[in-house]
Amino acid sequence: MRKYFGTDGVRGRVGEFPMTPSFAMKLGWAAGQVLGAEGVKEVLIGKDTRASGYMLESALEAGFSAAGVNVALVGPLPTPGVAYLTSTFRADAGVVISASHNPFYDNGIKIFAQGGNKLTDLQEQEIERWLQVALDGDMTCVESDKLGKARRIDDAAGRYTEYCKANLPGHLSLNGLKIVVDSANGAAYKVAPAVYRELGAELISIHDKPNGLNINAECGATSMQSLRAAVLEHQADLGIALDGDADRLMMVDHTGTVVDGDELLYLLAKDAKEAGYTGGVVGTQMSNLGLEHALSAMNVPFKRAKVGDRYVMEQLKATGWRLGGEGSGHLLSLDHASTGDAVIASLRVLTCLLQQQTNLFEAKQGMHKLPQTLINVRFKTGGAVSPLETEKVKQVVAEVENRLGDNGRVLLRKSGTEPLIRVMVEATNAQTAEAAATDIAGVIRESVG
């Protein structure tokens, strides 16, 4: 079992363990011990726009240097950009300092292998073993002539911008399209506007002035209101929203309606199917049943993974399929990027629209999302029986599933970060979904006292 690594690296509130400079330095040293033994000589480090990124960057640099591993610093850059440049610069591993869509006072550290692949569970467990050595006060330092050196890469953003632009086919252009892009005051605040503008779009850029404290603050892929308003105000063709580290994509059509990750995944799958793709699509337990129905109508196989792009990637590798994602906007198109990349995913969607000579509103009509109700029920930890295992809860779930049949779905799952049971119900209409979720949540509350 991993103690510090979650599904997306180590994350926490800055200044509180484990997100402290001391911990970051020891994590860098521990990673250097493990990866160095595997032949890693240089690690590329990128970050988002949080003020705390400077502090954690310096701490990680010190830790890797003490372990004898060189460091290349690229500054603020999207997570997928760091993954790409790790390969381009022939670095042996990459590190991203980011808490993704979290508020500015959180931060995180993600480590991945060359090519953007996340570390294996065994590698993370071995890093944690060395990390405990450092936390216990036994951190060492290589001889002075073997210390890792640091260098700064000044043209990283430009290289990544060109890489993104190459994902729009050469015979296409964004000329004639008016696009609003919301960079969430995050890592893509320079790259994203440059990509769309240089491909010919008439661009309105919002939330592109990070100050270290405003990342994800009422903007970006987790807060769509300002983008919706801007699309309507400017009478734009569509809007593009990224999150703080630009691995999540949400969009807005010309009517101001949000188009989420499930709908975007449907568009990508439809386009791929028409182009001859014979594989399937991986979603998660939270993927809307409407996506599953739409894919079934196209004879595209569909599998559900646990929530988290890490698990979507695992299923893609197991099946050999190339498309997957989450309703939250993590989209994986492995023919075009090795990891979730919001800018590249948006260009794939734009390619579909341009080639089909349609707009986002019309293109999404082939998928009909089912109304979804989500209720969180708090419970006390340490009970002898899980709230999900009581007979009353099992009985009410069975009754609801029987009522819904093939026209709905029930999902109960424990939160990975809080003592919460998440009750999700989908049905053909919102009233049915809400009533069913309320019934189940009520029985769970009774069972936990």
Side-chain angles (χ1 to χ4, degrees):
M1 294 292 292
R2 292 165 301 175
K3 183 176 181 181
Y4 301 108
F5 283 96
T7 58
D8 204 24
V10 181
R11 189 176 295 187
R13 190 170 183 123
V14 175
E16 298 177 5
F17 187 85
M19 208 44 54
T20 65
S22 174
F23 181 92
M25 180 180 66
K26 292 169 182 176
L27 177 60
W29 177 81
Q33 295 294 329
V34 175
L35 299 177
E38 297 176 0
V40 169
K41 295 182 175 62
E42 182 172 69
V43 173
L44 189 144
I45 300 179
K47 59 186 178 181
D48 65 23
T49 55
R50 294 163 215 267
S52 58
Y54 294 93
M55 173 184 74
L56 297 174
E57 178 185 62
S58 296
L60 282 166
E61 178 187 338
F64 278 114
S65 177
V69 175
N70 296 328
V71 170
L73 304 170
V74 299
L77 200 69
T79 291
V82 176
Y84 165 69
L85 291 174
T86 297
S87 177
T88 299
F89 283 100
R90 300 295 189 268
D92 303 293
V95 177
V96 176
I97 304 167
S98 174
S100 189
H101 58 280
N102 285 28
F104 79 92
Y105 48 74
D106 290 336
N107 216 329
I109 299 169
K110 295 181 275 191
I111 306 173
F112 48 82
Q114 189 178 46
N117 297 313
K118 295 192 175 182
L119 299 182
T120 66
D121 290 347
L122 287 177
Q123 285 175 310
E124 289 182 347
Q125 289 169 6
E126 184 66 4
I127 289 173
E128 288 201 354
R129 187 178 72 82
W130 280 98
L131 176 59
Q132 195 57 55
V133 170
L135 292 172
D136 290 339
D138 293 327
M139 178 176 164
T140 57
C141 182
V142 298
E143 295 295 328
S144 295
D145 61 340
K146 292 182 173 60
L147 287 171
K149 299 178 177 63
R151 65 186 177 112
R152 189 166 295 277
I153 300 173
D154 295 323
D155 60 344
R159 291 196 183 207
Y160 177 61
T161 297
E162 293 303 314
Y163 167 67
C164 289
K165 287 165 56 182
N167 281 272
L168 189 76
H171 66 283
L172 297 177
S173 166
L174 301 185
N175 286 333
L177 283 180
K178 183 186 286 188
I179 296 174
V180 182
V181 61
D182 178 351
S183 302
N185 293 314
Y189 77 101
K190 285 186 178 179
V191 169
V195 168
Y196 305 118
R197 190 177 286 117
E198 291 175 20
L199 287 172
E202 179 183 348
L203 191 74
I204 297 97
S205 181
I206 63 175
H207 302 302
D208 59 355
K209 296 176 177 58
N211 61 15
L213 308 178
N214 60 0
I215 187 170
N216 300 313
E218 298 183 3
C219 59
T222 57
S223 183
M224 301 287 289
Q225 196 58 41
S226 60
L227 178 61
R228 295 177 62 196
V231 167
L232 294 174
E233 176 189 350
H234 295 280
Q235 297 183 320
D237 294 291
L238 55 86
I240 295 170
L242 316 175
D243 68 338
D245 69 336
D247 64 355
R248 286 191 187 196
L249 168 70
M250 300 283 272
M251 298 182 75
V252 171
D253 66 25
H254 72 278
T255 72
T257 303
V258 173
V259 183
D260 69 11
D262 286 339
E263 293 168 302
L264 296 174
L265 185 55
Y266 159 73
L267 296 181
L268 295 177
K270 183 174 183 290
D271 183 69
K273 176 75 172 180
E274 293 172 353
Y277 177 64
T278 58
V281 171
V282 176
T284 73
Q285 295 171 334
M286 294 297 291
S287 296
N288 194 279
L289 188 58
L291 172 62
E292 186 173 347
H293 288 168
L295 293 174
S296 177
M298 295 191 297
N299 294 316
V300 175
F302 179 71
K303 286 182 176 290
R304 293 182 185 271
K306 291 190 293 185
V307 175
D309 61 324
R310 177 192 191 100
Y311 302 110
V312 174
M313 180 67 83
E314 286 180 0
Q315 282 279 7
L316 289 175
K317 288 181 178 179
T319 58
W321 297 347
R322 313 298 292 167
L323 284 172
E326 302 183 90
S328 61
H330 284 122
L331 298 172
L332 292 162
S333 180
L334 299 185
D335 287 331
H336 303 98
S338 63
T339 186
D341 190 316
V343 176
I344 288 178
S346 72
L347 292 175
R348 299 314 306 165
V349 172
L350 289 166
T351 298
C352 298
L353 301 180
L354 291 169
Q355 291 184 151
Q356 295 170 16
Q357 296 184 335
T358 188
N359 59 46
L360 188 56
F361 175 83
E362 294 293 337
K364 69 178 183 179
Q365 296 306 310
M367 175 186 158
H368 302 286
K369 288 173 60 179
L370 271 67
Q372 189 179 87
T373 296
L374 178 65
I375 299 176
N376 292 323
V377 181
R378 190 166 293 275
F379 68 96
K380 294 180 180 179
T381 58
V385 180
S386 166
L388 302 182
E389 298 301 320
T390 64
E391 287 304 316
K392 286 186 177 181
V393 172
K394 290 180 180 179
Q395 183 177 345
V396 70
V397 169
E399 291 172 355
V400 169
E401 288 179 332
N402 187 54
R403 289 203 309 267
L404 296 175
D406 293 334
N407 296 314
R409 191 168 66 97
V410 176
L411 174 67
L412 305 184
R413 67 184 185 93
K414 285 184 177 180
S415 166
T417 57
E418 301 176 84
L420 297 175
I421 300 294
R422 304 197 189 280
V423 180
M424 190 276 288
V425 177
E426 290 174 339
T428 52
N429 63 75
Q431 293 79 10
T432 300
E434 184 174 355
T438 300
D439 288 346
I440 296 172
V443 174
I444 293 176
R445 288 191 183 98
E446 290 175 7
S447 71
V448 297

